[in-house]
Amino acid sequence: MWSSLKAYSVPSISYDKITEKEVNRRVIMKISIIGAGKMGTAIIKGLINNGQNPKQILVKTGHYENALNLRQSLGITAVQALSDLATSDIYILATPATLITKTLSELSNINQQNAPIISVAAGVSFDEMLAIYPNAPLLRCIPNTPVAINQGMTSFSTSSHLSDNQKTLAINLLNQLGHTIEVPEDKLGIAGTIAGCSPAFIDVFIEALSDAAVTNGLDRALSYEIITEMMKGSAALAAESKIHPGILKDDVTSPGGDTIKGVVALEKNNFRFAVIDAINTILQD
Ligand SMILES: NC(=O)C1=CN([C@@H]2O[C@H](COP(=O)(O)OP(=O)(O)OC[C@H]3O[C@@H](n4cnc5c(N)ncnc54)[C@H](O)[C@@H]3O)[C@@H](O)[C@H]2O)C=CC1
Ligand SMILES: O=C(O)[C@@H]1CCC=N1
């Protein structure tokens, strides 16, 4: 059922449907999440959805009440102080970027097991973090909100202070959330932007297509179903066939037909440039 502006929820796991492969991928380690807003919560949902025991997910939020609410809804373990996370196997920093260095400074005093630290903060470099916590076993990544349903696209970079075992542990965790790609740190900004920010552009596009559908008399919920199925299929066709998008577009545009008229109208309205400009504007920041 399509809801307009309501929070989504991830369906709970049906254990009888879990395959052997999934069982093997299930993790039992203690995961600490520091900051559980939109991204932290999406990661928690993805991990639980993949079979992680929620009690083994320790969550520290800015306001303890938020962690308690997550305990109520997702069954995680809420903690009050960073010092409660001393024996974690892995840390995920998902606070606003402005709080990352302060959090790392505190973490440097409590990370008893020298556990790997994953930062999801956009724009906070290894140099900035290592200046605060020298030799920290860091992995930087930019996930996107579909990690909540294990269909995320996460780009990541690793610091030289991450051992092979620490790297494996961290990447195994990210792999539970969907597709992952390692990139050099100087490419993390652009890779993270096109995957991390663009879900919002896609959502605006879905909304706009739906508005057009409703303008032309189609039921709102039906339009969302048609649009999202169309997007899934189009993305899958491009991903699986690896055919150039220009050729896939040509396949849809029948000579003298409807689609080319729509494509021309998009070009008239600078559709391509609007998209390129959106990404460039983000990166200019
Ligand atoms: N939202 C997204 O799609 C993506 C977000 N990110 C990154 O994730 C991070 C968080 O972004 P959002 O979740 O969107 O923001 P948000 O504002 O929803 O979440 C931030 C959370 O940090 C918590 N927090 C504040 N002070 C804290 C403290 N002292 N200790 C622990 N938690 C504290 C806040 O209560 C809040 O829940 C940012 O660094 C952002 O760059 C990265 C990729 C995608
Ligand atoms: O808007 C932001 O800053 C974060 C980073 C990527 C997606 N959301």
Side-chain angles (χ1 to χ4, degrees):
M1 172 84 168
W2 285 96
S3 61
S4 42
L5 291 171
K6 265 167 74 181
Y8 56 89
S9 68
V10 175
S12 57
I13 300 164
S14 167
Y15 282 93
D16 55 351
K17 287 191 184 148
I18 288 181
T19 63
E20 193 181 327
K21 190 171 159 215
E22 284 170 312
V23 169
N24 291 335
R25 279 170 57 208
R26 245 185 289 161
V27 285
I28 50 166
M29 61 185 181
K30 206 196 266 185
I31 301 169
S32 290
I33 315 262
I34 303 166
K38 301 296 184 198
M39 182 40 64
T41 302
I43 291 171
I44 293 168
K45 286 181 174 174
L47 292 172
I48 294 173
N49 204 33
N50 192 58
Q52 173 72 32
N53 179 350
K55 287 197 167 47
Q56 296 280 88
I57 301 178
L58 280 55
V59 179
K60 156 86 174 71
T61 50
H63 299 284
Y64 184 49
E65 198 188 359
N66 293 339
L68 290 177
N69 287 340
L70 283 173
R71 182 173 77 184
Q72 177 91 7
S73 57
L74 298 175
I76 53 86
T77 298
V79 307
Q80 258 179 307
L82 216 61
S83 54
D84 297 331
L85 304 176
T87 59
S88 187
D89 296 308
I90 194 161
Y91 295 91
I92 300 176
L93 307 187
T95 65
T98 48
L99 285 177
I100 290 292
T101 49
K102 179 177 174 288
T103 309
L104 263 179
S105 165
E106 293 177 47
L107 204 55
S108 67
N109 295 319
I110 62 143
N111 184 5
Q112 288 177 5
Q113 302 188 153
N114 193 31
I117 301 164
I118 297 177
S119 165
V120 307
V124 188
S125 69
F126 284 134
D127 281 351
E128 285 171 82
M129 293 191 277
L130 290 168
I132 302 291
Y133 182 168
N135 304 324
L138 283 169
L139 180 149
R140 283 186 65 196
C141 70
I142 308 294
N144 60 9
T145 46
V147 295
I149 55 164
N150 311 89
Q151 291 184 41
M153 172 56 241
T154 302
S155 303
F156 70 90
S157 305
T158 52
S159 91
S160 55
H161 304 288
L162 204 64
S163 71
D164 285 349
N165 281 348
Q166 288 169 327
K167 184 172 171 177
T168 302
L169 193 69
I171 295 172
N172 280 351
L173 185 144
L174 294 178
N175 283 342
Q176 295 179 53
L177 303 172
H179 199 73
T180 57
I181 294 180
E182 183 165 12
V183 293
E185 191 187 17
D186 67 349
K187 295 287 180 279
L188 192 59
I190 178 59
T193 297
I194 54 170
C197 301
S198 301
F201 306 163
I202 297 296
D203 293 329
V204 170
F205 187 50
I206 292 173
E207 213 182 2
L209 275 182
S210 175
D211 284 349
V214 172
T215 304
N216 286 280
L218 200 65
D219 173 74
R220 176 70 73 179
L222 185 60
S223 77
Y224 283 145
E225 183 178 344
I226 293 170
I227 293 161
T228 52
E229 287 302 318
M230 171 278 294
M231 283 188 163
K232 279 198 288 188
S234 303
L237 180 61
E240 285 170 30
S241 70
K242 296 190 170 47
I243 292 172
H244 188 286
I247 296 173
L248 292 174
K249 181 263 294 172
D250 287 356
D251 288 346
V252 191
T253 49
S254 312
D258 294 332
T259 312
I260 194 64
K261 292 176 189 149
V263 170
V264 170
L266 284 174
E267 296 293 358
K268 192 173 143 198
N269 288 292
N270 284 327
F271 184 63
R272 286 167 198 253
F273 181 71
V275 173
I276 295 166
D277 197 36
I279 299 295
N280 286 344
T281 302
I282 290 171
L283 293 174
Q284 271 158 22
D285 230 8

